[in-house]
Amino acid sequence: MKFGPIPIEAAEGAVLAHATTAGEKRFRKAHRLSAEDVSILKRAGISQVVAAVLAPDDLGEDAAAQRVAQSMTFGGIEAKPAATGRVNLHARAAGIFTVNAAVIDAINAVDPAITIATLAQHAPVEKGQMVATVKIIPFAVSSVLVDAVMKICSGVEIFAVNAYRPVRVGVIQTVLPGTKPGVLDKTLRVTEARLARSGGRLTAERRTPHEIGPVAEAAIALARDNDMVIIFGASAMSDFADVVPAAIGRAGGTVIRAGMPVDPGNLLVLGTLGGKRVIGAPGCARSPKENGFDWVLDRLISGLDVTARDIAGMGVGGLLMEIPTRPQPREPLPAKNRLKVGIVLLAAGQSSRMGGPNKLMALFDGQPLVRRTTKRALASKASDTIVVTGHQRERVRAALSGLDVTFADNPDFADGLSTSLKAGIAYLPQDVAGAMIVLGDMPGVAPGDLDRLIDAFRAAGGNSVVRASHEGKRGNPVLLPRSLFAAVAHLEGDTGARHLVEAEGLDVIDVEIGEGASVDVDTREALEGAGGVLQD
């Protein structure tokens, strides 16, 4: 494949590197030029284009991505049709993702033109979630390289989603003087919620003294009728011969591992009894927050084995979070109000439903709507404001003259909302914990509304999606945690933040901000009803 400037006379069959406009005609990036297209470009006075010219043995980006994906063997996963050189692969059911890292590394070492990215080993996934993507970087790639990748893929399962199974679980809770019944009741509710994601259920509970004999007897009884037994000790394990591991041995079982390099979760015990798994849960498993217990439980209910060596290998990435209630925390927690939030203000659209005028230039209280929206963003607690421009970019920039914002130009704005999201996210500083996506055409959103979203985001530790709502209905703006920034890069077409919220499975916090969350001005009637005056 050859890439670079090409005289328009030689451009038939070439693939455009950039979106190109010829009069009223717009050719999208990656469009293959026909003879008629070349004529239109000539008439518009275009003498050359930047494009890719394919060699006889080259495969176009979509064909190459499709062939690579079709050569793969995987389980519990569905491959979507190729588009823009990419094939996305999604989970057919909720479960645990496993991947042959050596094969992925071998494929990615063939040539930078062919890439495969996946979720992390043993990542929990929801049904429909994207777990991997095949991406061809240039517009075309040699069939020789594709054949080399296909050979690596042959005869080996590359990755899989191991679906959760509905297991039956018996629970033992030991009791010491002073143990509060409310704590035990809450533990049951939290455990039932953990099992619910797999369709499993808690069938029975035994409450015993915190002694080896009674725990052993209860474990034997529950193991007969259940797939798994979970033991919550009233006192944390302090020695490998303590009550929980000793009771597993007394019952005739085997302790596979006591202690794990995951924090919270250090004091987990894993064993077997009568062919059933027994987990001595660490104290943190009484909380719904992620801890080492989740890692072991999720693998077991998805049908994966967990060995002592597996647990020993969990240390890298096993430092999950600090526990502030410890008498001596590892490190002081950073103040939540230090979490930085940047605003990505979308102002690149063409206002197509207005029939001509740019709605962002409509006057509200004597100033352009885009300036009013931007000034409100700057008046909020956000640390940075990125304004994404595209359609009439110079006019929008002029309307924002003098304001302390960063401009992110999106030359591909006509290709859909996703291009503006990518452009804006890319300009955010590395130290921001979240990005609030603010639409430029929402005149009813005030600085205080933005601050309420930021406060909720900080209160949740910066790990949740925060969404404006009105009377229980979702709206805008939407605040995305940094963990979703990488997913933004994979969006295509007219896909926005709502897709990520629905697909990525993160906690969502809805914040009522009133009618402003649902009032935009896509039409003349809506704009004038909101008090705006259209300008030519």
Side-chain angles (χ1 to χ4, degrees), residues 7-75:
I8 195 64
E9 293 79 8
E12 183 179 347
V15 179
L16 283 177
H18 310 292
T20 303
T21 301
E24 298 297 320
K25 182 75 172 179
R26 179 178 173 82
F27 300 99
R28 293 192 174 193
K29 174 183 175 181
H31 175 73
R32 187 183 287 258
L33 294 173
S34 66
E36 181 182 355
D37 297 334
V38 170
S39 297
I40 293 173
L41 291 167
K42 284 182 179 179
R43 289 197 297 270
I46 296 173
S47 60
Q48 69 175 20
V49 291
V50 178
V53 178
L54 277 58
D57 67 338
D58 282 343
L59 289 173
E61 55 180 349
D62 285 352
Q66 196 72 44
R67 284 186 62 181
V68 170
Q70 288 173 346
S71 72
M72 294 177 174
T73 299
F74 42 75

Side-chain angles (χ1 to χ4, degrees), residues 429-453:
Q430 291 296 316
D431 61 349
V432 299
M436 189 187 307
I437 312 302
V438 176
L439 306 182
D441 63 346
M442 299 191 72
V445 177
D449 300 325
L450 304 178
D451 287 346
R452 281 197 287 277
L453 298 178

Side-chain angles (χ1 to χ4, degrees), residues 443-524:
V445 177
D449 300 325
L450 304 178
D451 287 346
R452 281 197 287 277
L453 298 178
I454 293 172
D455 290 342
F457 178 76
R458 289 171 172 170
N463 297 315
S464 300
V465 174
V466 178
R467 182 171 59 195
S469 66
H470 173 49
E471 295 181 347
K473 296 182 179 179
R474 62 190 179 190
N476 285 292
V478 176
L479 206 167
L480 306 177
R482 175 168 281 278
S483 62
L484 288 184
F485 287 10
V488 170
H490 295 307
L491 293 177
E492 300 289 347
D494 202 30
T495 302
R498 179 178 297 179
H499 170 79
L500 292 180
V501 174
E502 294 172 349
E504 296 298 324
L506 292 182
D507 290 338
V508 178
I509 300 170
D510 284 330
V511 177
E512 172 67 40
I513 68 168
E515 188 177 359
S518 55
V519 174
D520 55 23
V521 288
D522 282 342
T523 64
R524 288 174 177 266

Side-chain angles (χ1 to χ4, degrees), residues 77 89-91 95-101 104 116-126 129-133 158-161 483 486-487 490 503-504:
I77 293 171
L89 298 108
H90 296 253
I96 297 296
F97 178 74
T98 52
V99 56
N100 188 326
I104 296 297
I116 299 180
T118 77
L119 295 181
Q121 184 77 279
H122 295 123
V125 300
E126 299 297 324
Q129 181 178 344
M130 186 166 71
V131 299
T133 184
I158 296 181
F159 35 61
V161 171
S483 62
H490 295 307
E504 296 298 324

Side-chain angles (χ1 to χ4, degrees), residues 12 19 31 41 55 122 126 135 168 198 218 246 265 267 284 295 317 349 351 362 370 379 397 408 428 480 521 532 534:
E12 183 179 347
H31 175 73
L41 291 167
H122 295 123
E126 299 297 324
K135 172 63 177 173
R168 293 163 50 87
S198 66
L267 304 183
C284 57
W295 289 16
S351 305
V370 69
R397 288 190 178 216
L428 287 172
L480 306 177
V521 288
L534 276 172

Side-chain angles (χ1 to χ4, degrees), residues 162-193:
N162 305 273
Y164 293 134
R165 303 176 302 167
V167 295
R168 293 163 50 87
V169 176
V171 168
I172 299 170
Q173 298 202 70
T174 70
V175 178
L176 288 170
T179 300
K180 296 180 180 179
V183 172
L184 304 182
D185 294 340
K186 178 186 175 183
T187 298
L188 289 181
R189 292 194 298 270
V190 169
T191 304
E192 288 175 331

Side-chain angles (χ1 to χ4, degrees), residues 375-396:
K375 288 172 68 174
R376 291 181 173 186
L378 291 169
S380 74
K381 296 177 180 179
S383 59
D384 304 88
T385 298
I386 312 298
V387 178
V388 182
T389 59
H391 177 63
Q392 296 185 351
R393 60 180 61 85
E394 297 303 327
R395 190 179 180 193
V396 171

